[in-house]
Amino acid sequence: NADTAMYHAKEQGRNNMQYFTAALNAAAEERLAMERELRVALDDSQFELHYQPQFATAAGATAHPCGVEALIRWHHPQRGLIAPARFIPVAEECGLIEAIGDWALNEACRCFAAWKSAAINPARVAVNLSAHQLRNPSLPERVGTLMERHGLGAGELELEITESVAMADPAAAVETLERLRALGVTLAIDDFGTGYSSLAYLKRLPIQVLKLDREFVGDIESDPSDAQICAATFTLAHSLGLEVVAEGVETEAQRAFLASHRCDKLQGYLLGRPQPAEYWEKCWRSKASAV
Ligand code: C2E
Ligand code: MG
Ligand code: MG
Ligand code: MG
């Protein structure tokens, strides 16, 4: 009857609620565990930078790369290699991103300096910044110290920030970016096209490079309107004096399209995957000795 049906429904609800609460607790516990483990990871040197090459579009992948982007990896002692998308957001929330970000900046500069002294360096190394790092007014000073410590000159360090990070507090961002600029740092907008900012607005930021998001690049061949938007973006970016890098280039057809539309630089699996420093050192040394 109706009473028993009601009773069962309530029981069911209670069980669902218990199940839901248990799942929430498990997620919260996993998060806490990750926080704890991230602190250990910093002290235990479990982080590593992989580097992905960028090539001048005209030069092609057999040339020496014009730059590399540093991408962080976490070698977890039990869980193996963890991608940044899984732990950077946690690091941002628990306040560890500054320490991890400082580690990445120092490591990228150290590595670039070693390549330079072996005369196998690409022209520059790019490092990703998170919102918290950009918000800290002492960032330019710390970057300046690192550049001096490792002997990096103007144009050798590039910092990448996303549109949303730059737009969160534009006035503060402009001031910090201008101080970085004064150190000779190249500034790039990452994942361009995924946010809501107009190029006209971005132009007020002291940036030099736009990195077209790979979501866009992936659809160049299949979606005519995406192709149109890409082409228009290149034209406008160039008229504003910005260099354009295409991310996530995976096919020859994409490369051909980007080349014919005067995209300046290419980055993607077609040209090279992110790899540890030693991998590139071997590769560049053998090329250098073959010449
Ligand atoms: P991002 O800066 O946009 O980096 C590009 C991402 O696209 C990298 O993923 C790279 O491995 C991937 N990728 C490159 N070429 C291709 C391709 O042809 N196809 C596909 N499908 N993917 C490609 P990854 O290394 O997993 O990094 C993800 C994101 O994590 C980065 O996106 C960046 O936002 C963030 N990140 C990485 N390292 C750091 C860091 O040191 N600090 C901070 N704050 N964020 C970082
Ligand atoms: Mg990036
Ligand atoms: Mg990107
Ligand atoms: Mg991205």
Side-chain angles (χ1 to χ4, degrees):
N1 64 23
D3 271 358
T4 0
M6 185 61 112
Y7 174 80
H8 281 301
K10 270 191 184 156
E11 272 308 286
Q12 201 66 37
R14 203 167 291 142
N15 287 341
N16 279 343
M17 197 59 189
Q18 268 166 9
Y19 180 77
F20 184 63
T21 310
L24 268 184
N25 283 340
E29 249 163 55
E30 199 181 311
R31 186 155 193 114
L32 270 178
M34 188 179 262
E35 257 185 65
R36 255 193 326 268
E37 290 167 1
L38 275 171
R39 285 175 212 280
V40 175
L42 255 181
D43 294 337
D44 259 16
S45 333
Q46 290 169 11
F47 294 114
E48 185 187 24
L49 293 182
H50 283 190
Y51 297 89
Q52 185 176 33
Q54 298 176 346
F55 294 91
T57 308
T62 53
H64 198 61
C66 54
V68 290
E69 177 178 5
L71 296 156
I72 197 166
R73 301 307 180 237
W74 179 9
H75 292 277
H76 191 284
Q78 282 87 40
R79 290 189 255 181
L81 199 72
I82 305 183
R86 288 210 31 223
F87 68 86
I88 292 285
V90 178
E92 277 169 350
E93 274 178 36
C94 70
L96 276 173
I97 192 63
E98 297 235 34
I100 294 173
D102 276 352
W103 176 85
L105 273 168
N106 183 65
E107 176 60 14
C109 291
R110 187 200 60 76
C111 190
F112 186 87
W115 289 337
K116 231 169 110 171
S117 64
I120 51 167
N121 57 309
R124 71 166 72 127
V125 63
V127 182
N128 293 282
L129 284 188
S130 86
H132 291 67
Q133 290 174 280
L134 191 70
R135 241 180 265 135
N136 189 333
S138 76
L139 177 75
E141 200 183 310
R142 297 203 314 280
V143 168
T145 306
L146 283 177
M147 289 174 74
E148 214 166 290
R149 180 189 302 160
H150 297 290
L152 264 66
E156 293 185 329
L157 178 65
E158 178 171 316
L159 294 177
E160 298 187 1
I161 52 169
T162 60
E163 283 173 79
S164 51
V165 166
M167 294 306 155
D169 183 357
V174 167
E175 200 193 316
T176 305
L177 294 176
E178 262 160 9
R179 286 166 59 211
L180 287 167
R181 199 56 207 129
L183 296 168
V185 172
T186 304
L187 299 169
I189 294 293
D190 204 353
D191 303 345
F192 182 76
T194 57
Y196 296 98
S197 46
S198 70
L199 263 180
Y201 195 85
L202 276 182
K203 187 50 197 167
R204 290 198 225 152
L205 299 175
I207 54 165
Q208 294 74 53
V209 181
L210 278 190
K211 297 191 73 180
L212 188 66
D213 193 71
R214 71 167 189 264
E215 223 171 287
F216 246 163
V217 175
D219 289 338
I220 278 178
E221 301 157 82
S222 56
D223 188 335
S225 62
D226 265 12
Q228 287 290 336
I229 291 167
C230 279
T233 302
F234 295 158
T235 307
L236 194 51
H238 286 153
S239 74
L240 293 172
L242 300 173
E243 181 178 80
V244 189
V245 181
E247 298 190 291
V249 183
E250 293 182 351
T251 69
E252 275 300 337
Q254 289 164 0
R255 189 222 296 256
F257 177 96
L258 292 162
S260 71
H261 288 82
R262 298 190 308 118
C263 178
D264 304 282
K265 291 177 180 174
L266 308 177
Q267 182 179 347
Y269 294 167
L270 178 71
L271 301 110
R273 289 181 177 255
Q275 300 280 4
E278 308 80 63
Y279 173 95
W280 293 117
E281 278 156 27
K282 262 189 222 153
C283 173
W284 296 334
R285 275 219 181 80
S286 63
K287 263 186 199 161
S289 61
V291 179

